[in-house]
Amino acid sequence: MKNFENKKVVITGGGSGIGEKIVAELYQEGVKDFAVIGRSKEKLEALKKEFPKAEFELYSGDLAKVEDIKEFAAIVEKKWGTVDILINNAGVVSAGSISSISDDDIIAQTNINVIGLILMTKHMLPLLKKSKEAALINVSSGLALISMPFYAPYAATKAAVKAFSESIRRELKDFPIQVTTLYPTATDTPMMKNSNSGGLHSPEMVAKKLIEGIKNNEIDVILSDLDNVKLNRDNPLEFDKKAAAMFDAFKKRTEKHRSM
Ligand SMILES: NC(=O)c1ccc[n+]([C@@H]2O[C@H](COP(=O)([O-])OP(=O)(O)OC[C@H]3O[C@@H](n4cnc5c(N)ncnc54)[C@H](OP(=O)(O)O)[C@@H]3O)[C@@H](O)[C@H]2O)c1
């Protein structure tokens, strides 16, 4: 997809962080119509105020609830009849040693990051299929490519997003729907507020890389260090040594890392 002008965009979690910056980039590229779902009404209203010249359909709903997803899809269908770009961006994290993460947090991470994303795609797909030129964007994480300690449930959800993207891309081969997966690494957003991580990427940069990637028809936009990704894939036991060297740092930085 080279030109975003007048495309109709659905984005989950567009009210903050990376999602908000993706909205900003797309607005610059000529998108005027956004449908946004998130739980907090305040975040959604603030987004509308930030871009007064854009048209927003704001839906305060929870991706963990299938009724909300279906109602949102029905509202979008009634309003536009079609969708050009679906961006599955919303996500949550609850990190720490596996025994310290509550059962509820493990279930909620899976419901929001995986099941919500899959159901949103399923229910928006009929609308994407009506577009002459569409894109499906799924936000995974660098942790899907290199799973670090103390992120086991979260990394598992993001690896599921990777597999879902790959499968659906192949399934949709006969439709004009480009599928691109974004793999951010530590980025300066509300999600990272309690993480104690340094050297964060800016969400603006991540959003710009995504737009560039979509324009270049890339299937993966990866922010991770590619040498490490390759080492972890080709020689995981060798990468275990690097992970062991970072064990204490990760333990400390993930103790309070939770955005639920
Ligand atoms: N920041 C990083 O370091 C990083 C790294 C790798 C991957 N990622 C991924 O990037 C994506 C965006 O994250 P971010 O860093 O921008 O975090 P963020 O600022 O916390 O944004 C997450 C967004 O998702 C929405 N959301 C969360 N749970 C939801 C639910 N149940 N239903 C509907 N909306 C929900 C939130 O809105 P409400 O709270 O109002 O619902 C919020 O707008 C996520 O998928 C995340 O996993 C982030």
Side-chain angles (χ1 to χ4, degrees):
M1 183 179 285
K2 295 271 179 250
N3 187 352
F4 294 89
E5 204 125 351
N6 298 320
K7 296 282 189 196
K8 301 208 178 310
V9 173
V10 172
I11 180 164
T12 68
S16 65
I18 294 171
E20 182 189 349
K21 299 307 173 195
I22 294 173
V23 169
E25 285 302 316
L26 288 173
Y27 180 72
Q28 288 300 324
E29 294 282 340
V31 174
K32 295 283 177 291
D33 295 290
F34 295 93
V36 191
I37 181 174
R39 291 165 302 182
S40 143
K41 251 198 184 99
E42 293 71 39
K43 278 188 207 167
L44 297 175
E45 287 300 334
L47 188 66
K48 194 172 174 173
K49 283 209 185 91
E50 199 182 332
F51 302 97
K53 290 192 180 143
E55 282 281 323
F56 284 98
E57 180 67 45
L58 302 175
Y59 183 87
S60 170
D62 188 344
L63 286 171
K65 295 184 182 153
V66 64
E67 305 77 36
D68 286 6
I69 292 172
K70 284 162 82 171
E71 188 175 54
F72 179 53
I75 290 169
V76 171
E77 178 171 25
K78 194 160 173 219
K79 193 176 171 86
W80 295 336
T82 178
V83 169
D84 300 305
I85 306 176
L86 167 61
I87 305 169
N88 284 312
N89 159 75
V92 290
V93 66
S94 179
S97 67
I98 187 70
S99 55
S100 73
I101 305 173
S102 71
D103 292 354
D104 283 350
D105 273 12
I106 291 173
I107 292 165
Q109 280 181 97
T110 310
N111 281 342
I112 297 166
N113 296 2
V114 185
I115 299 177
L117 181 146
I118 293 173
L119 288 171
M120 181 62 73
T121 307
K122 177 188 166 183
H123 290 288
M124 287 292 176
L125 209 48
L127 302 181
L128 281 171
K129 285 181 176 172
K130 288 188 190 160
S131 168
K132 286 195 187 76
E133 189 196 32
L136 166 62
I137 314 302
N138 293 321
V139 181
S140 176
S141 163
L143 289 168
L145 304 170
I146 308 175
S147 303
M148 296 305 283
F150 308 110
Y151 280 109
Y154 177 78
T157 69
K158 292 301 181 175
V161 172
K162 176 183 186 294
F164 178 73
S165 283
E166 196 171 279
S167 175
I168 208 80
R169 186 180 76 243
R170 290 169 181 159
E171 182 175 326
L172 295 175
K173 71 176 178 55
D174 294 330
F175 294 90
I177 305 176
Q178 163 182 353
V179 180
T180 297
T181 312
L182 175 67
Y183 298 86
T185 52
T187 306
D188 190 5
T189 70
M191 176 179 266
M192 294 300 280
K193 214 171 62 194
N194 304 320
S195 89
N196 259 329
S197 301
L200 302 175
H201 283 148
S202 85
E204 289 87 352
M205 183 279 279
V206 176
K208 279 187 201 306
K209 287 268 181 212
L210 173 65
I211 302 305
E212 203 180 289
I214 300 172
K215 282 185 177 170
N216 293 331
N217 208 354
E218 283 167 21
I219 57 174
D220 292 323
V221 175
I222 298 174
L223 277 293
S224 318
D225 178 317
L226 293 179
D227 289 338
N228 279 335
V229 171
K230 193 171 178 312
L231 178 65
N232 186 55
R233 188 193 60 208
D234 298 343
N235 195 346
L237 292 177
E238 195 52 37
F239 191 85
D240 279 2
K241 292 178 193 160
K242 285 196 173 197
M246 292 184 264
F247 185 90
D248 290 338
F250 266 86
K251 190 171 185 189
K252 193 155 189 293
R253 94 164 63 147
T254 54
E255 261 164 10
K256 296 198 171 78
H257 189 193
R258 182 174 184 274
S259 78
M260 301 289 292

